[in-house]
Amino acid sequence: MLELMADAVVGEVPLDDLPDSPGPRAPEVIRRYRRALLAHRDGAALVVGTYAAEPHTLHLAETLVAALLDDGLNEREAAWTAWTLIYFTLGLTQEEQAAEQQSLDDRLATAISRTTHPALYRTLGHLTSESFDERFEFGLNSIIGRR
């Protein structure tokens, strides 16, 4: 049942009108995937808890892997990059959806000490809930823009 629910969420990812050029196609698929997850309360948590080999999920995976292959990655690179993109998107989106439900910024700021966690303390301003869109784009570009 959960697999079917997860597949229904993934089925809301519009896969038409994607860029013709392979370079921007994979990032656009992942951006649309994230938006579909965010459109549902706990959408990422629902999808991350399943291994849905269902029609919508397979169609999304096919589209993503094909875009990566078309962009010049070999089979292994395309498969592993697709999984990396999916897992990154699920993880960050799950954190984002949890932050919407509770004040994670305050909890994090209270838990981090300048003396005990000096590196985290220095970067705390970049780990706020307001930075999810920027963090997503940074991660997406880091994964795909590696060449």
Side-chain angles (χ1 to χ4, degrees):
M1 176 69 112
L2 289 176
E3 284 82 8
L4 294 175
M5 291 171 59
D7 193 53
V9 169
V10 175
E12 294 178 10
V13 178
L15 296 174
D16 54 341
D17 298 321
L18 288 167
D20 291 330
S21 175
R25 196 175 322 135
E28 182 59 25
V29 170
I30 292 299
R31 286 183 190 104
R32 292 177 185 192
Y33 178 60
R34 177 175 177 250
R35 285 193 297 270
L37 296 171
L38 287 170
H40 297 274
R41 181 173 182 221
D42 299 324
L46 170 67
V47 173
V48 81
T50 64
Y51 191 82
E54 300 295 332
H56 298 302
T57 302
L58 293 174
H59 184 54
L60 177 99
E62 173 68 21
T63 303
L64 179 58
V65 170
L68 294 167
L69 288 168
D70 290 348
D71 198 28
L73 275 66
N74 66 40
E75 289 82 2
R76 179 179 180 224
E77 291 171 331
W80 289 10
T81 300
W83 281 119
T84 301
L85 288 166
I86 295 291
Y87 292 146
F88 161 72
T89 304
L90 284 169
L92 186 64
T93 305
Q94 191 172 15
E95 181 182 335
E96 182 174 359
Q97 290 181 314
E100 292 171 358
Q101 297 172 26
Q102 49 187 302
S103 179
L104 296 182
D105 289 349
D106 293 340
R107 286 180 55 197
L108 189 59
T110 303
I112 293 177
S113 159
R114 179 189 294 249
T115 55
T116 309
H117 315 102
L120 287 173
Y121 186 83
R122 285 178 52 197
T123 62
L124 185 59
H126 300 284
L127 300 175
T128 66
S129 60
E130 291 87 36
S131 65
F132 281 109
D133 289 339
E134 291 175 283
R135 288 162 56 194
F136 172 76
E137 288 298 324
F138 178 85
L140 180 60
N141 290 328
S142 294
I143 295 165
I144 292 182
R146 75 222 169 287
R147 299 183 291 141

